[in-house]
Amino acid sequence: MGLDTGNGTPYSANSPYSVETSGNTNAGWVDSEPLKVDVEGLRDYAKDMVSQQLDLANRKMNLNDLFSGPYEAWGGTTLGEAMYLRSQLAANASELFSYLDNLGQSLFNVGSAAQTIADIYGAEDATQAASVNDVLFAFGAPGVSRPAGLPSHIGQTYSEAVREASAEAAETPVVANSPDWDEPQTLSETPYQTTTVSTDPNTGQKLQTVTMNVPGGGGVVQTITIYNSKGEVLSTTSTRTVTSYNPATNTEVKTVTSGNSTTRTTTAYDDDGLVANEKTQNSTTGENGKVTETGSREVTVDQNTGMQTETTYNAEGETTGTTYTGKETEGQLTVDKPLSAEYDPTLNGTLTNG
């Protein structure tokens, strides 16, 4: 019924949408039988939600070509229009994957809430004490205390898990090449050594990079140390790079050593200074000083056609893959003007009035 206006006429009767208002505000379900919770049904529902999340994650792998396809089609330096299209396709793919990730997380969260509600109502001694607030707790509503009927062996809530994950993330070293590091600040600089530091605003970690030029042809030693927000060392790595050049053969040799792994790259140049051949050998050094080859890669360039052939080999010297790349074409970094403007006769002076 509508609100009585005093003359016996419902308030909704004075509205041009009285029928619609009456239908939208008639909550007859409020007077229905008390809600009955099917505990086993909720648990089955929770399992179904997790299964849907896993299925979504597996099927999402079939869409990886949405990322790689544009870069394979228009790789390297290419026309500005193609570069613009490539960036748009990559952005669209990124948005789609973000949506699918959020959808999968939502499926998991709904399933977890259903499982929590089933655990609350599943305890026989807590059935009468359960309330709507318990449902709010299951969905992580702020300010709602843990239900008394929730068994103590039930694990963390979603909010608790997020807080713990954040704490663990603060103690897990952020990778050195992460885009989250802010602009490095130079702490000290000498002719032989430079020290810089960057901060990750998400975890408070600091990345310190010490670059030292070793006199006497000893190469360059770069040491990267990551500290947590308390200043404690989380990880440290050191890499030595030694480069030599032989003018007689027009060949450069670059050796990079990090830990027990070594990468040796030999590059031969032609008379014009272009790469004619490049070979990279990877190896590891054991505790007894024994060097073990782990694989190699060779790149050759046809000086007549410009075609580049890249071949990879395993530790036994067997070919594991070959890739052919054509000569690069000239391109531009950005689009000078839209195609519509490029060929508009009124803008290019080919069409005039009078």
Side-chain angles (χ1 to χ4, degrees), residues 284-301:
T284 58
T285 304
E287 296 180 356
N288 56 359
K290 180 180 179 180
V291 177
T292 303
E293 298 292 336
T294 58
S296 61
R297 164 183 169 270
E298 185 173 12
V299 177
T300 58
V301 180

Side-chain angles (χ1 to χ4, degrees), residues 170-171 203-206 227-232 234:
E171 295 300 320
T203 62
Q205 296 182 16
K206 293 186 181 298
Y227 301 87
N228 62 12
S229 58
K230 301 177 183 178
E232 301 167 338
L234 296 180

Side-chain angles (χ1 to χ4, degrees), residues 4-343:
D4 195 333
T5 59
N7 58 3
T9 303
Y11 177 80
S12 61
N14 299 326
S15 168
Y17 305 105
S18 58
V19 177
E20 293 82 354
T21 302
S22 176
N24 292 333
T25 58
N26 182 19
W29 56 268
V30 174
D31 300 326
S32 62
E33 295 293 326
L35 178 64
K36 295 182 180 180
V37 179
D38 184 353
V39 175
E40 293 304 319
L42 282 175
R43 291 196 173 102
D44 291 338
Y45 175 75
K47 293 178 181 178
D48 289 341
M49 289 295 98
V50 175
S51 297
Q52 290 296 323
Q53 182 202 23
L54 296 176
D55 181 67
L56 178 64
N58 291 330
R59 292 178 182 272
K60 189 178 68 172
M61 302 300 295
N62 298 327
L63 302 177
N64 285 338
D65 287 342
L66 293 178
F67 274 114
S68 60
Y71 287 93
E72 292 176 356
W74 301 294
T77 304
T78 185
L79 294 176
E81 291 82 356
M83 294 181 67
Y84 174 76
L85 181 59
R86 181 179 64 189
S87 65
Q88 288 296 105
L89 291 174
N92 292 343
S94 178
E95 290 182 3
L96 175 60
F97 270 67
S98 297
Y99 166 76
L100 294 177
D101 288 338
N102 290 331
L103 176 59
Q105 185 63 57
S106 298
L107 291 172
F108 178 80
N109 291 346
V110 171
S112 298
Q115 179 66 54
T116 302
I117 295 172
D119 292 332
I120 294 172
Y121 283 85
E124 295 181 359
D125 58 345
T127 301
Q128 300 300 323
S131 67
V132 175
N133 282 339
D134 300 336
V135 179
L136 297 177
F137 172 82
F139 280 94
V144 179
S145 60
R146 183 183 180 91
L150 185 62
S152 58
H153 67 275
I154 300 301
Q156 299 168 310
T157 65
Y158 177 73
S159 299
E160 292 170 341
V162 169
R163 287 194 296 270
E164 181 174 309
S166 299
E168 292 178 354
E171 295 300 320
T172 302
V174 180
V175 293
N177 60 351
S178 170
D180 293 334
W181 297 111
D182 61 13
E183 192 70 21
Q185 304 295 321
T186 301
L187 298 183
S188 62
E189 186 173 12
T190 67
Y192 296 104
Q193 181 172 303
T194 301
T195 302
T196 63
V197 64
S198 302
T199 303
D200 177 16
N202 300 315
T203 62
Q205 296 182 16
K206 293 186 181 298
L207 180 145
Q208 178 181 279
T209 303
V210 179
T211 304
M212 181 174 62
N213 295 295
V214 182
V220 178
V221 178
Q222 186 179 72
T223 303
I224 297 177
T225 305
I226 298 178
Y227 301 87
N228 62 12
S229 58
K230 301 177 183 178
E232 301 167 338
V233 176
L234 296 180
S235 68
T236 182
T237 57
S238 183
T239 302
R240 177 189 290 269
T241 303
V242 179
T243 303
S244 61
Y245 176 72
N246 186 343
T249 58
N250 204 10
T251 302
E252 178 187 78
V253 178
K254 181 178 180 180
T255 304
V256 180
T257 303
S258 179
N260 65 340
S261 300
T262 300
T263 299
R264 179 185 174 90
T265 302
T266 303
T267 306
Y269 299 91
D270 61 17
D271 295 336
D272 296 327
L274 301 176
V275 176
N277 179 274
E278 181 178 272
K279 187 171 184 178
T280 301
Q281 295 175 301
N282 301 314
S283 63
T284 58
T285 304
E287 296 180 356
N288 56 359
K290 180 180 179 180
V291 177
T292 303
E293 298 292 336
T294 58
S296 61
R297 164 183 169 270
E298 185 173 12
V299 177
T300 58
V301 180
D302 189 320
Q303 302 303 311
N304 295 322
T305 63
M307 186 180 72
Q308 175 178 293
T309 303
E310 178 179 339
T311 307
T312 55
Y313 306 89
N314 59 18
E316 288 71 32
E318 301 170 336
T319 302
T320 58
T322 303
T323 303
Y324 303 94
T325 306
K327 182 179 180 180
E328 290 188 2
T329 58
E330 294 184 2
Q332 60 189 61
L333 297 179
T334 60
V335 180
D336 289 338
K337 65 176 67 175
L339 289 178
S340 58
E342 181 74 23
Y343 296 99

